[in-house]
mmCIF file of all heavy atoms in Angstrom:
data_model
loop_
_atom_site.group_PDB
_atom_site.id
_atom_site.type_symbol
_atom_site.label_atom_id
_atom_site.label_comp_id
_atom_site.label_asym_id
_atom_site.label_seq_id
_atom_site.Cartn_x
_atom_site.Cartn_y
_atom_site.Cartn_z
ATOM 1 N N GLY U 1 0.812 -1.232 0.017
ATOM 2 C CA GLY U 1 -0.044 -0.011 -0.030
ATOM 3 C C GLY U 1 0.831 1.311 -0.007
ATOM 4 O O GLY U 1 2.008 1.249 -0.511
ATOM 5 N N LEU U 2 0.319 2.334 0.522
ATOM 6 C CA LEU U 2 0.978 3.618 0.596
ATOM 7 C C LEU U 2 2.247 3.544 1.440
ATOM 8 O O LEU U 2 2.231 2.962 2.584
ATOM 9 C CB LEU U 2 0.001 4.642 1.164
ATOM 10 C CG LEU U 2 0.555 6.117 1.169
ATOM 11 C CD1 LEU U 2 0.837 6.641 -0.200
ATOM 12 C CD2 LEU U 2 -0.410 7.040 1.879
ATOM 13 N N ASN U 3 3.292 4.200 1.015
ATOM 14 C CA ASN U 3 4.572 4.158 1.734
ATOM 15 C C ASN U 3 5.184 5.481 1.790
ATOM 16 O O ASN U 3 6.502 5.588 1.815
ATOM 17 C CB ASN U 3 5.518 3.127 1.076
ATOM 18 C CG ASN U 3 6.661 2.682 1.923
ATOM 19 O OD1 ASN U 3 6.500 2.620 3.201
ATOM 20 N ND2 ASN U 3 7.740 2.292 1.369
ATOM 21 N N SER U 4 4.444 6.528 1.793
ATOM 22 C CA SER U 4 4.967 7.949 1.581
ATOM 23 C C SER U 4 5.936 8.333 2.767
ATOM 24 O O SER U 4 6.791 9.131 2.580
ATOM 25 C CB SER U 4 3.849 8.934 1.509
ATOM 26 O OG SER U 4 2.945 8.824 2.619
ATOM 27 N N VAL U 5 5.733 7.745 3.940
ATOM 28 C CA VAL U 5 6.586 8.116 5.056
ATOM 29 C C VAL U 5 7.178 6.818 5.674
ATOM 30 O O VAL U 5 7.540 6.776 6.853
ATOM 31 C CB VAL U 5 5.728 8.862 6.163
ATOM 32 C CG1 VAL U 5 5.476 10.279 5.579
ATOM 33 C CG2 VAL U 5 4.510 8.162 6.530
ATOM 34 N N GLY U 6 7.380 5.831 4.842
ATOM 35 C CA GLY U 6 8.080 4.625 5.292
ATOM 36 C C GLY U 6 7.222 3.683 6.146
ATOM 37 O O GLY U 6 7.763 2.766 6.809
ATOM 38 N N GLN U 7 5.887 3.771 6.073
ATOM 39 C CA GLN U 7 5.052 2.946 6.888
ATOM 40 C C GLN U 7 5.008 1.418 6.531
ATOM 41 O O GLN U 7 4.536 0.683 7.281
ATOM 42 C CB GLN U 7 3.605 3.519 6.902
ATOM 43 C CG GLN U 7 2.878 3.608 5.508
ATOM 44 C CD GLN U 7 3.004 5.002 4.924
ATOM 45 O OE1 GLN U 7 4.165 5.556 4.772
ATOM 46 N NE2 GLN U 7 1.914 5.669 4.650
ATOM 47 N N LEU U 8 5.565 1.103 5.375
ATOM 48 C CA LEU U 8 5.711 -0.289 4.950
ATOM 49 C C LEU U 8 6.892 -0.902 5.572
ATOM 50 O O LEU U 8 6.981 -2.141 5.634
ATOM 51 C CB LEU U 8 5.719 -0.410 3.438
ATOM 52 C CG LEU U 8 4.533 0.010 2.704
ATOM 53 C CD1 LEU U 8 4.647 -0.394 1.150
ATOM 54 C CD2 LEU U 8 3.168 -0.480 3.242
ATOM 55 N N GLY U 9 7.876 -0.204 6.140
ATOM 56 C CA GLY U 9 9.035 -0.738 6.798
ATOM 57 C C GLY U 9 10.036 -1.489 5.926
ATOM 58 O O GLY U 9 10.784 -2.274 6.436
ATOM 59 N N ASN U 10 10.036 -1.168 4.687
ATOM 60 C CA ASN U 10 10.992 -1.882 3.809
ATOM 61 C C ASN U 10 12.201 -0.988 3.383
ATOM 62 O O ASN U 10 12.836 -1.339 2.438
ATOM 63 C CB ASN U 10 10.241 -2.391 2.565
ATOM 64 C CG ASN U 10 9.639 -1.223 1.733
ATOM 65 O OD1 ASN U 10 9.837 -0.043 1.963
ATOM 66 N ND2 ASN U 10 8.753 -1.551 0.796
ATOM 67 N N GLY U 11 12.410 0.111 4.061
ATOM 68 C CA GLY U 11 13.529 0.927 3.847
ATOM 69 C C GLY U 11 13.459 1.875 2.707
ATOM 70 O O GLY U 11 14.368 2.591 2.307
ATOM 71 N N THR U 12 12.233 2.050 2.142
ATOM 72 C CA THR U 12 11.937 2.899 1.021
ATOM 73 C C THR U 12 10.744 3.743 1.269
ATOM 74 O O THR U 12 10.091 3.622 2.299
ATOM 75 C CB THR U 12 11.729 2.136 -0.350
ATOM 76 O OG1 THR U 12 10.381 1.630 -0.306
ATOM 77 C CG2 THR U 12 12.782 0.990 -0.476
ATOM 78 N N THR U 13 10.402 4.603 0.359
ATOM 79 C CA THR U 13 9.151 5.379 0.350
ATOM 80 C C THR U 13 8.379 5.112 -0.928
ATOM 81 O O THR U 13 7.546 5.922 -1.381
ATOM 82 C CB THR U 13 9.378 6.896 0.485
ATOM 83 O OG1 THR U 13 10.246 7.302 -0.531
ATOM 84 C CG2 THR U 13 9.932 7.241 1.870
ATOM 85 N N VAL U 14 8.621 3.921 -1.447
ATOM 86 C CA VAL U 14 7.922 3.478 -2.711
ATOM 87 C C VAL U 14 6.684 2.624 -2.367
ATOM 88 O O VAL U 14 6.751 1.690 -1.579
ATOM 89 C CB VAL U 14 8.898 2.669 -3.592
ATOM 90 C CG1 VAL U 14 8.202 2.170 -4.859
ATOM 91 C CG2 VAL U 14 10.133 3.441 -3.929
ATOM 92 N N ASN U 15 5.568 2.960 -2.987
ATOM 93 C CA ASN U 15 4.306 2.234 -2.745
ATOM 94 C C ASN U 15 4.418 0.829 -3.291
ATOM 95 O O ASN U 15 5.131 0.586 -4.254
ATOM 96 C CB ASN U 15 3.129 2.978 -3.339
ATOM 97 C CG ASN U 15 2.836 4.330 -2.790
ATOM 98 O OD1 ASN U 15 3.372 4.689 -1.795
ATOM 99 N ND2 ASN U 15 2.120 5.163 -3.571
ATOM 100 N N ARG U 16 3.670 -0.175 -2.746
ATOM 101 C CA ARG U 16 3.575 -1.529 -3.270
ATOM 102 C C ARG U 16 2.214 -1.856 -3.484
ATOM 103 O O ARG U 16 1.316 -1.628 -2.667
ATOM 104 C CB ARG U 16 4.211 -2.465 -2.244
ATOM 105 C CG ARG U 16 5.686 -2.491 -2.123
ATOM 106 C CD ARG U 16 6.151 -3.672 -1.353
ATOM 107 N NE ARG U 16 5.703 -4.908 -1.958
ATOM 108 C CZ ARG U 16 6.459 -5.661 -2.848
ATOM 109 N NH1 ARG U 16 7.627 -5.309 -3.127
ATOM 110 N NH2 ARG U 16 5.926 -6.808 -3.362
ATOM 111 N N ASN U 17 1.836 -2.591 -4.533
ATOM 112 C CA ASN U 17 0.459 -2.980 -4.804
ATOM 113 C C ASN U 17 0.324 -4.600 -4.629
ATOM 114 O O ASN U 17 -0.722 -5.156 -4.979
ATOM 115 C CB ASN U 17 -0.103 -2.524 -6.091
ATOM 116 C CG ASN U 17 0.657 -3.029 -7.334
ATOM 117 O OD1 ASN U 17 1.465 -3.993 -7.229
ATOM 118 N ND2 ASN U 17 0.495 -2.393 -8.389
ATOM 119 N N THR U 18 1.335 -5.163 -4.162
ATOM 120 C CA THR U 18 1.398 -6.593 -3.780
ATOM 121 C C THR U 18 2.098 -6.768 -2.506
ATOM 122 O O THR U 18 3.024 -5.992 -2.139
ATOM 123 C CB THR U 18 1.983 -7.501 -4.858
ATOM 124 O OG1 THR U 18 3.357 -7.068 -5.091
ATOM 125 C CG2 THR U 18 1.232 -7.448 -6.191
ATOM 126 N N PRO U 19 1.783 -7.829 -1.654
ATOM 127 C CA PRO U 19 2.559 -8.040 -0.443
ATOM 128 C C PRO U 19 4.048 -8.217 -0.673
ATOM 129 O O PRO U 19 4.474 -8.970 -1.556
ATOM 130 C CB PRO U 19 1.836 -9.234 0.120
ATOM 131 C CG PRO U 19 0.596 -9.313 -0.502
ATOM 132 C CD PRO U 19 0.715 -8.756 -1.894
ATOM 133 N N GLY U 20 4.831 -7.552 0.142
ATOM 134 C CA GLY U 20 6.250 -7.648 0.108
ATOM 135 C C GLY U 20 6.780 -7.899 1.486
ATOM 136 O O GLY U 20 6.350 -7.234 2.420
ATOM 137 N N GLN U 21 7.746 -8.898 1.602
ATOM 138 C CA GLN U 21 8.232 -9.273 2.929
ATOM 139 C C GLN U 21 9.159 -8.165 3.485
ATOM 140 O O GLN U 21 9.895 -7.517 2.761
ATOM 141 C CB GLN U 21 9.023 -10.547 2.841
ATOM 142 C CG GLN U 21 9.515 -11.106 4.234
ATOM 143 C CD GLN U 21 10.218 -12.363 4.154
ATOM 144 O OE1 GLN U 21 10.082 -13.109 3.118
ATOM 145 N NE2 GLN U 21 10.864 -12.769 5.218
ATOM 146 N N ILE U 22 8.971 -7.888 4.797
ATOM 147 C CA ILE U 22 9.868 -6.958 5.488
ATOM 148 C C ILE U 22 11.098 -7.673 6.013
ATOM 149 O O ILE U 22 10.908 -8.456 6.925
ATOM 150 C CB ILE U 22 9.041 -6.297 6.626
ATOM 151 C CG1 ILE U 22 7.838 -5.425 6.045
ATOM 152 C CG2 ILE U 22 9.940 -5.361 7.435
ATOM 153 C CD1 ILE U 22 7.014 -4.822 7.101
ATOM 154 N N ASN U 23 12.245 -7.319 5.453
ATOM 155 C CA ASN U 23 13.450 -7.989 5.763
ATOM 156 C C ASN U 23 13.381 -9.551 5.865
ATOM 157 O O ASN U 23 12.403 -10.124 5.422
ATOM 158 C CB ASN U 23 14.218 -7.367 6.960
ATOM 159 C CG ASN U 23 13.433 -7.488 8.277
ATOM 160 O OD1 ASN U 23 12.899 -8.530 8.636
ATOM 161 N ND2 ASN U 23 13.327 -6.381 8.979
ATOM 162 N N ALA U 24 14.399 -10.127 6.451
ATOM 163 C CA ALA U 24 14.379 -11.619 6.461
ATOM 164 C C ALA U 24 14.037 -12.127 7.867
ATOM 165 O O ALA U 24 14.193 -13.357 8.094
ATOM 166 C CB ALA U 24 15.773 -12.139 6.057
#
């Protein structure tokens, strides 16, 4: 989803429209 302020926790501010794993 929205990642404008890093809320996805993946080290970027890029939005995602599919589930992505947060680190290992």
Side-chain angles (χ1 to χ4, degrees):
L2 182 64
N3 197 29
S4 57
V5 289
Q7 56 265 57
L8 298 188
N10 59 13
T12 77
T13 55
V14 178
N15 300 342
R16 284 191 59 95
N17 61 17
T18 58
Q21 187 176 345
I22 298 177
N23 61 45

